[in-house]
Amino acid sequence: MSEMLLTPIEIGLTAAIVAIEDHEPQILTARAGDGLAGLPFGPFDALAHRTFEIGLRAWVEQQAGLRLGYVEQLYTFGDRGRHAEAAHTGAHMVSIGYLALTRAVDGELAATGASFEPWYRFFPWEDWREQPPEIIARDIIPALMKWAEEETPETTRALPRKDRVRFYFGLDGAPWDEERVLDRYELLYEAGLIEEARRDGRPAALARKTLPALGTSMRFDHRRILATAIARLRAKLKYRPVVFELLPAEFTLTELQHTVEAISGRHLHKQNFRRLVETEALVEPTGAMSTQTGGRPAALYRFRRDVLQERPAPGLRVRSRR
């Protein structure tokens, strides 16, 4: 009996590294020869690194000069063709995605070639802080509804296309759920409306003469990994105090609110937010005042670490005005 030849597997580590600058969520990117933005990526060396996370921290510090603070594993991304053409017969690349939070700024990255970019550049339909993004009604919904009308009765999905469009994009009275970032991205990919679907040879994308300009595409499946990271962080805000990993040790309540709004993509009512912060008892006053607000001095606060021993799921279960 002849031996079966198995395709070799390589393990990579991909990091969605998030920071906040000027009230905007930023994602660390590096550009390769193709000009496309990509998430920092490096191989796992089983001889040099005892764990995946140790390996991730080591090469991020080496390549970007960053010492990561909060890190958590997201998902294993292993779809065939994710790092190569469909006919590629070499080693298959499986990537373990991570979410990491940092307070770094661009000045620390000048020598590395990496830079922070606003994550809403890649997901413009996710920013609802001012109003529902025009791109949804103008470009996304008409294209998705036309695609949904082409569905055949033989679909194997539990929900038909029209229902998924309605649920994921908050139509016909359905609420906008800010945590469904990955669902919305994958719906656009399935409908062939984004550049990554065309690059991957998806029939729905190849059948289109032109694609709408739906955000900036990324290398490989990195925009899918970033969508997974944004969804995880938005959910995490509600039951873990991760937002304080993105703030300085001392901050004003306005800075805290702007950071939560930046991550969630939703506008929050100021007084309701402050009542929530007071009820959750996540912060405590330092007794000092900030004069950097551009107006009246504002009280400075810090994260109250005792809350981690007091409650199993301390977070900010915010509600928006929409």
Side-chain angles (χ1 to χ4, degrees):
M1 180 183 294
S2 61
E3 294 184 2
M4 180 182 296
L5 296 178
L6 300 178
T7 302
I9 297 290
E10 293 182 3
I11 297 177
L13 305 171
T14 305
I17 303 174
V18 180
I20 297 290
E21 187 173 4
D22 296 329
H23 310 315
E24 288 297 324
Q26 310 279 333
I27 191 74
L28 185 64
T29 65
R31 294 188 181 273
D34 56 12
L36 292 174
L39 300 176
F41 172 85
F44 172 66
D45 185 342
L47 297 179
H49 307 124
R50 183 172 56 84
T51 68
F52 292 143
E53 184 177 321
I54 290 174
L56 178 83
R57 290 178 181 276
W59 66 252
V60 167
E61 184 172 355
Q62 178 183 358
Q63 293 180 12
L66 287 179
R67 284 196 170 189
L68 297 179
Y70 180 92
V71 171
E72 71 166 278
Q73 192 175 127
L74 287 172
Y75 188 73
T76 299
F77 300 85
D79 291 0
R80 190 171 57 133
R82 60 176 304 276
H83 267 245
E85 299 297 328
H88 181 72
T89 58
H92 178 61
M93 177 63 72
V94 172
S95 185
I96 300 174
Y98 282 84
L99 167 65
L101 308 180
T102 182
R103 300 186 181 99
V105 295
D106 274 327
E108 300 176 33
L109 304 171
T112 69
S115 63
F116 280 101
E117 298 187 46
W119 78 22
Y120 291 122
R121 181 176 299 167
F122 306 102
F123 296 93
W125 57 87
E126 294 291 340
D127 187 0
W128 286 59
R129 287 173 293 178
E130 297 295 331
Q131 61 186 6
E134 293 181 2
I135 194 174
I136 295 178
R138 185 188 66 225
D139 299 325
I140 291 177
I141 298 305
L144 282 178
M145 294 308 293
K146 182 179 180 180
W147 168 75
E149 290 169 358
E150 299 168 353
E151 186 171 32
T152 61
E154 293 80 20
T155 180
T156 58
R157 289 272 192 167
L159 287 176
R161 290 177 179 179
K162 285 186 178 180
D163 283 346
R164 286 188 285 148
V165 174
R166 182 166 64 89
F167 290 146
Y168 297 165
F169 282 91
L171 304 182
D172 302 329
W176 173 267
D177 185 346
E178 65 269 19
E179 295 179 30
R180 287 193 174 272
V181 186
L182 182 60
D183 289 328
R184 286 186 282 271
Y185 173 78
E186 292 194 329
L187 192 66
L188 294 171
Y189 180 92
E190 183 184 345
L193 293 172
I194 56 175
E195 182 60 35
E196 286 89 336
R198 173 173 285 176
R199 281 204 318 253
D200 293 349
R202 301 288 294 188
L206 296 178
R208 299 181 184 276
K209 292 183 179 179
T210 60
L211 298 181
L214 300 185
T216 303
S217 63
M218 301 184 81
R219 301 180 68 209
F220 309 131
D221 57 353
H222 288 194
R223 196 152 49 146
R224 182 182 179 218
I225 297 174
L226 178 54
T228 307
I230 295 173
R232 176 72 62 85
L233 184 53
R234 285 180 169 183
K236 208 89 171 181
L237 287 178
K238 300 173 183 177
Y239 62 92
R240 287 289 184 271
V242 291
V243 65
F244 301 105
E245 301 286 346
L246 296 165
L247 286 161
E250 297 184 354
F251 49 84
T252 67
L253 293 183
T254 297
E255 289 172 331
L256 175 59
Q257 179 175 339
H258 285 164
T259 300
V260 174
E261 289 176 329
I263 296 298
S264 66
R266 305 299 295 267
H267 176 74
L268 304 173
H269 187 279
K270 180 177 179 179
Q271 296 306 320
N272 289 347
F273 178 78
R274 297 201 172 192
R275 279 194 291 269
L276 175 64
V277 171
E278 181 178 350
T279 300
E280 295 294 334
L282 294 178
V283 301
E284 59 187 6
T286 65
M289 304 291 287
S290 171
T291 58
Q292 306 299 315
T293 59
R296 296 173 58 186
L300 286 169
Y301 291 79
R302 58 176 167 250
F303 172 52
R304 193 173 68 84
R305 299 190 178 278
D306 290 347
V307 75
L308 297 173
Q309 283 75 46
E310 296 170 0
R311 300 201 303 277
L316 289 168
R317 293 170 176 81
V318 295
R319 294 182 180 179
S320 71
R321 296 200 299 186
R322 295 188 182 93

